[in-house]
Amino acid sequence: MNNFKYRNPTKILFGKGQIENLSTEIPANSKILMLYGGGSIMKNGIYDQVKKALSGYEVVEFGGIPANPEYSVLLKALKVIKDEKITYLLAVGGGSVIDGTKFLSAAALYEGETPWDLLTNKKPVTEGMPFATVLTLPATGSEMNSGSVITRAETKEKLAFGGPGMFPQFSVLDPEVVKSIPQRQLANGIADAFTHVMEQYMTYPIGAKLQDRFAESIMQTLVETAPEIMKDPSDYEAASDFMWSCTMALNGLIQQGVPGDWAVHSMGHELTALYGIDHARTLAILAGNHYRYNFETKKEKLAQYAERVWNITEGTLEEKAHAGIDKTDEFFKSLGIDIKLSDYTKDYSETGSTVAKRFTERGWEGLGEHKSLKPSDAQKIIEMSY
Amino acid sequence: MNNFKYRNPTKILFGKGQIENLSTEIPANSKILMLYGGGSIMKNGIYDQVKKALSGYEVVEFGGIPANPEYSVLLKALKVIKDEKITYLLAVGGGSVIDGTKFLSAAALYEGETPWDLLTNKKPVTEGMPFATVLTLPATGSEMNSGSVITRAETKEKLAFGGPGMFPQFSVLDPEVVKSIPQRQLANGIADAFTHVMEQYMTYPIGAKLQDRFAESIMQTLVETAPEIMKDPSDYEAASDFMWSCTMALNGLIQQGVPGDWAVHSMGHELTALYGIDHARTLAILAGNHYRYNFETKKEKLAQYAERVWNITEGTLEEKAHAGIDKTDEFFKSLGIDIKLSDYTKDYSETGSTVAKRFTERGWEGLGEHKSLKPSDAQKIIEMSY
């Protein structure tokens, strides 16, 4: 096990009716900016629940934060924060709204030239305007971590930032929100959380037995819960297991003391930036082929995964490892997710080389747990996924 | 899954050499009271490492905190805190030293009549003097939770307290400390952590799939690691898995959203108070018989445990459940722990009725996840354990 430093100060309020407790968590006299996305919270009743819970506060609203939170939109919200002298941010939404709110939390206190620096200077953010979240879409884990990914349409960039100042003060996780989520987004949430675990787990054996078993626990729970959720999103018990699994998949716990890969995310972000493909679907397109391409360095872990998550006990280590990869592809397909790039765009013949070129231009550090993957490797993995 | 509120702000510094980082975590200008136990830290080099790391601070020492931290000893430490105008407490030790330090943290700011109130008034403690820990004995999980158990010899009492103000600010977990721990205490640590998980898990099915799997993960890791640790405590990899498992066993994570039992601890505390039997050994004496006595209400979970932790796949649900209990007893015995009260004292013929009487006198709320066990039930479970 590697050395690690770990702290996660976010408070979780989990369960039915927890939105009511917003006023016990947000300091009195706060001037709140309530941030949300495309307005689905108007239809499913969450907007009304939140507004009612905030009745004692001065509240300004900013809606319309898009999937892949867009820099130019966030700059408008930043102006509202400054003009209105906002003191507290409340994200009501999924990963995009929460990630956008993290950017605003940091940007509100940033004193440099342009807030885009936060995305490019790679400095951990230690301080931000206090913020909290009401999660409406289990998937990204952003509600209990300190990371954020922001998109800039102008330059077709999608970049990450974060730091110890970027944890939500608290997050409300009410599984009742799951029942009004469309099938497409449920599938995305399951695939996103599952891949988050894979990125932190599917590397090489490092003897961190408990982290391995925790990672496998989350994947087993997602595999077991996925068909129940897809069939009946109003199944509260299944929704609870799904929601808590998504949070635990990327709240920092399972990554402590172990190597991380994250190459699938790095490549996937490019596919979203280039084609607007849903984040989770880019991961499903690439994951299997990433493991096939890097089979030799990952086969021990792949075989362990096949055994423990998919109960594949027959065959050689290599056979089990390959079966594990196939099971992963099948799992994504069982959610109704297409796993070839050509299912999403006809304009894919140059994608591999385009992404490789972008990586090279941006200054390349090497991808994967060994930081050994070159732009040409990424190109090949993407080409395997056409 | 039940509703829950969860927050754990303790920072963990895990791994070799982390003691060096004390000075980056403790505020400059702190006046530190360094608390420890019987002096084993003098022999294993930890005292020297800590003193070196604290060389920039004013440090007062208080040694001699006994196993089952004793109220009268802690009152002496409290006088030192007040006389010396201490501002920061550093526990260097195992669960007893840490629990004692939590009491001092609370008592240092307590303004009521007597600090014993903290143990009897059952109010969650929201504020204390800042404190941190350097863990020298993996077992209790106290290094990452907000609970504490204090003993008062005068009245043969052993009582718990805690609250959101009782989390360590940070804890240093260096698995290298494990190599100098005597076999008896290693066995105690494994049994203690294992039973902590059982108390939070062995109740009734509530559909919290991830919490169940996390609990099983910790138990599987302890079962797998125990023989390695007992054979060679200097095996750093095994020590790391053991240490992190003990912390995760009682840091609040696996208890979220699920019922808790804790009857084994309640009864066990009485055996320690009456006979001075090591805490972990009281748990090993009682656990198996507690599950046998409450078989009907726990058999579904017992069978799941038998299957997932002990790979018992043959037989009826009842047969698997019974086999799981037997495996638990065998596990404790494999650590060299005797599991009958009569192995520890010849003076046991009245223990059941004595404990029942103490429970009745103290005001009885009912034990176990249903709060349905009466003093007479506790008496019978203890009598089964003679």
Side-chain angles (χ1 to χ4, degrees):
Chain A
M1 198 185 300
N2 296 332
N3 278 13
F4 64 83
K5 292 184 185 176
Y6 171 59
R7 180 173 189 263
N8 190 322
T10 299
K11 183 174 182 178
I12 297 295
L13 284 71
F14 192 99
K16 282 181 200 178
Q18 293 280 19
I19 290 174
E20 287 174 18
N21 293 317
L22 285 173
S23 62
T24 62
E25 301 294 333
I26 301 176
N29 304 318
S30 298
K31 185 167 181 183
I32 301 170
L33 184 63
M34 175 178 164
L35 297 124
Y36 49 90
S40 64
I41 62 167
M42 306 296 181
K43 292 174 208 143
N44 60 20
I46 295 166
Y47 176 87
D48 290 337
Q49 285 180 60
V50 171
K51 288 291 278 188
K52 190 176 165 201
L54 296 180
S55 61
Y57 299 87
E58 200 175 347
V59 181
V60 180
E61 294 181 30
F62 188 93
I65 297 177
N68 306 308
E70 164 56 31
Y71 183 62
S72 60
V73 175
L74 295 172
L75 289 183
K76 289 177 195 163
L78 185 58
K79 186 167 184 312
V80 175
I81 290 169
K82 294 190 170 173
D83 290 351
E84 297 280 347
K85 300 190 174 20
I86 295 294
T87 63
Y88 203 100
L89 307 176
L90 181 65
V92 183
S96 296
V97 174
I98 298 172
D99 279 10
T101 300
K102 286 177 180 174
F103 171 77
L104 292 169
S105 164
L109 304 194
Y110 185 69
E111 294 182 340
E113 200 171 331
T114 156
W116 189 246
D117 296 348
L118 292 162
L119 280 306
T120 55
N121 68 12
K122 302 196 174 175
K123 285 186 196 152
V125 179
T126 55
E127 203 187 3
M129 180 173 286
F131 71 99
T133 88
V134 175
L135 183 65
T136 62
L137 179 63
T140 72
S142 191
E143 67 278 7
M144 200 185 180
N145 68 37
S146 61
S148 166
V149 180
I150 302 297
T151 295
R152 190 173 188 176
E154 187 188 356
T155 51
K156 286 202 175 178
E157 282 175 295
K158 187 170 177 177
L159 296 176
F161 84 106
M166 291 290 101
F167 284 100
Q169 288 202 330
F170 69 90
S171 286
V172 173
L173 277 61
D174 179 349
E176 291 205 301
V177 303
V178 172
K179 65 178 179 226
S180 56
I181 298 173
Q183 289 277 306
R184 174 195 181 89
Q185 293 193 352
L186 285 176
N188 285 352
I190 296 164
D192 194 24
F194 193 88
T195 314
H196 287 159
V197 180
M198 290 289 265
E199 295 272 35
Q200 299 164 87
Y201 166 86
M202 193 50 74
T203 57
Y204 50 87
I206 193 172
K209 290 191 177 73
L210 187 59
Q211 290 89 326
D212 275 6
R213 289 202 186 272
F214 276 2
E216 290 150 1
S217 294
I218 299 169
M219 293 190 284
Q220 285 171 300
T221 304
L222 287 169
V223 166
E224 203 173 331
T225 311
E228 298 167 10
I229 284 289
M230 296 301 287
K231 189 176 163 204
D232 179 11
S234 70
D235 176 342
Y236 182 81
E237 194 173 294
S240 303
D241 289 326
F242 166 48
M243 197 169 212
W244 192 223
S245 293
C246 291
T247 299
M248 293 301 304
L250 196 56
N251 71 349
L253 182 68
I254 62 172
Q255 80 187 35
Q256 301 307 318
V258 303
D261 180 341
W262 295 104
V264 174
H265 271 70
S266 293
M267 295 184 286
H269 286 173
E270 300 302 320
L271 300 189
T272 299
L274 289 170
Y275 303 108
I277 303 170
D278 292 357
H279 170 61
R281 286 162 201 254
T282 68
L283 308 176
I285 291 167
L286 294 163
N289 292 321
H290 176 62
Y291 302 134
R292 287 184 188 96
Y293 186 82
N294 296 287
F295 188 80
E296 280 306 311
T297 62
K298 290 177 183 286
K299 64 186 180 186
E300 284 82 11
K301 235 22 206 306
L302 281 163
Q304 178 181 314
Y305 159 74
E307 283 179 26
R308 294 189 185 172
V309 176
W310 297 107
N311 301 313
I312 294 165
T313 54
E314 307 280 306
T316 64
L317 183 141
E318 282 76 9
E319 285 165 349
K320 284 188 276 195
H322 277 297
I325 299 175
D326 294 341
K327 279 283 188 186
T328 311
D329 279 350
E330 287 165 29
F331 179 57
F332 293 136
K333 286 195 271 187
S334 78
L335 302 171
I337 294 178
D338 292 319
I339 63 167
K340 287 174 178 298
L341 182 58
S342 53
D343 294 323
Y344 296 87
T345 174
K346 295 294 154 216
D347 183 27
Y348 58 80
S349 64
E350 302 292 323
T351 312
S353 56
T354 302
V355 172
K357 191 160 165 259
R358 288 167 69 103
F359 280 154
T360 304
E361 286 169 359
R362 211 177 290 142
W364 184 260
E365 292 175 356
L367 283 189
E369 64 271 22
H370 298 290
K371 295 200 176 294
S372 60
L373 293 182
K374 298 189 279 291
S376 57
D377 297 311
Q379 178 172 343
K380 283 173 199 152
I381 293 164
I382 293 168
E383 286 169 355
M384 287 168 75
S385 310
Y386 287 171
Chain B
M1 198 185 301
N2 297 330
N3 279 13
F4 64 83
K5 292 184 185 176
Y6 172 59
R7 179 173 188 263
N8 189 324
T10 299
K11 182 173 181 177
I12 297 296
L13 284 71
F14 192 100
K16 282 180 199 179
Q18 294 279 20
I19 290 173
E20 287 174 17
N21 294 317
L22 286 174
S23 63
T24 62
E25 301 294 333
I26 300 176
N29 303 319
S30 298
K31 185 165 180 184
I32 300 170
L33 183 63
M34 174 179 166
L35 298 125
Y36 49 90
S40 63
I41 62 168
M42 305 298 180
K43 293 174 206 145
N44 61 20
I46 294 165
Y47 176 87
D48 290 337
Q49 287 180 61
V50 171
K51 287 290 278 188
K52 191 177 165 200
L54 296 180
S55 61
Y57 299 88
E58 201 175 346
V59 180
V60 180
E61 295 180 31
F62 187 94
I65 296 176
N68 305 306
E70 163 56 31
Y71 183 62
S72 60
V73 176
L74 296 171
L75 289 184
K76 290 177 194 161
L78 184 59
K79 186 168 186 311
V80 175
I81 289 169
K82 295 190 168 171
D83 290 349
E84 298 281 348
K85 299 190 174 17
I86 296 295
T87 64
Y88 203 100
L89 307 177
L90 181 66
V92 183
S96 296
V97 174
I98 299 172
D99 279 10
T101 300
K102 287 178 181 175
F103 171 78
L104 292 169
S105 163
L109 304 193
Y110 185 69
E111 294 182 339
E113 201 171 331
T114 157
W116 188 248
D117 296 347
L118 291 161
L119 282 306
T120 54
N121 69 12
K122 302 196 174 178
K123 286 186 196 153
V125 179
T126 55
E127 202 187 4
M129 179 173 286
F131 71 99
T133 88
V134 175
L135 182 66
T136 62
L137 179 62
T140 72
S142 190
E143 65 278 7
M144 200 184 181
N145 68 37
S146 61
S148 166
V149 180
I150 302 297
T151 295
R152 191 172 187 176
E154 187 189 355
T155 52
K156 286 200 175 182
E157 283 177 294
K158 187 169 177 177
L159 297 175
F161 84 106
M166 290 291 101
F167 283 101
Q169 289 202 330
F170 69 90
S171 285
V172 173
L173 276 61
D174 179 349
E176 290 205 300
V177 303
V178 172
K179 67 180 178 226
S180 56
I181 298 173
Q183 289 277 305
R184 174 196 182 87
Q185 292 194 351
L186 285 176
N188 284 353
I190 295 164
D192 195 24
F194 193 88
T195 313
H196 287 159
V197 180
M198 290 289 265
E199 295 272 35
Q200 299 165 87
Y201 166 87
M202 193 52 73
T203 56
Y204 50 86
I206 194 172
K209 289 191 177 72
L210 188 60
Q211 290 90 324
D212 274 6
R213 289 203 186 272
F214 276 3
E216 289 150 3
S217 293
I218 299 169
M219 292 191 284
Q220 285 172 300
T221 304
L222 287 169
V223 166
E224 204 172 331
T225 310
E228 299 168 13
I229 284 288
M230 295 301 286
K231 189 177 164 203
D232 179 11
S234 71
D235 176 342
Y236 181 81
E237 194 173 294
S240 302
D241 290 324
F242 166 48
M243 197 169 211
W244 193 222
S245 294
C246 291
T247 300
M248 293 302 304
L250 197 55
N251 70 350
L253 182 67
I254 61 171
Q255 78 187 36
Q256 301 308 319
V258 303
D261 179 341
W262 295 104
V264 173
H265 271 70
S266 293
M267 294 183 286
H269 286 174
E270 300 301 319
L271 300 188
T272 299
L274 289 170
Y275 302 108
I277 303 169
D278 292 356
H279 170 61
R281 285 162 201 254
T282 67
L283 308 176
I285 291 167
L286 295 163
N289 292 320
H290 176 62
Y291 302 134
R292 287 183 187 98
Y293 186 81
N294 295 287
F295 188 79
E296 280 306 311
T297 62
K298 290 177 182 285
K299 64 185 180 186
E300 284 81 9
K301 241 7 211 313
L302 280 163
Q304 177 180 314
Y305 159 75
E307 283 180 26
R308 294 191 184 171
V309 176
W310 297 106
N311 301 312
I312 294 165
T313 53
E314 306 281 305
T316 63
L317 184 141
E318 282 77 8
E319 284 165 349
K320 285 189 273 195
H322 276 298
I325 300 175
D326 293 342
K327 280 284 188 185
T328 311
D329 278 349
E330 288 165 28
F331 179 56
F332 293 135
K333 286 195 272 187
S334 78
L335 302 171
I337 294 178
D338 292 319
I339 62 166
K340 288 175 178 298
L341 182 58
S342 52
D343 294 323
Y344 295 88
T345 174
K346 295 293 155 217
D347 184 27
Y348 58 82
S349 64
E350 303 292 322
T351 311
S353 57
T354 303
V355 172
K357 191 160 165 255
R358 288 167 69 106
F359 280 155
T360 304
E361 285 169 359
R362 212 178 288 141
W364 184 263
E365 291 174 357
L367 283 190
E369 64 271 21
H370 299 289
K371 294 201 177 294
S372 61
L373 294 182
K374 298 189 280 293
S376 57
D377 297 310
Q379 177 171 344
K380 284 174 198 150
I381 292 164
I382 293 169
E383 286 170 355
M384 285 167 76
S385 309
Y386 286 172

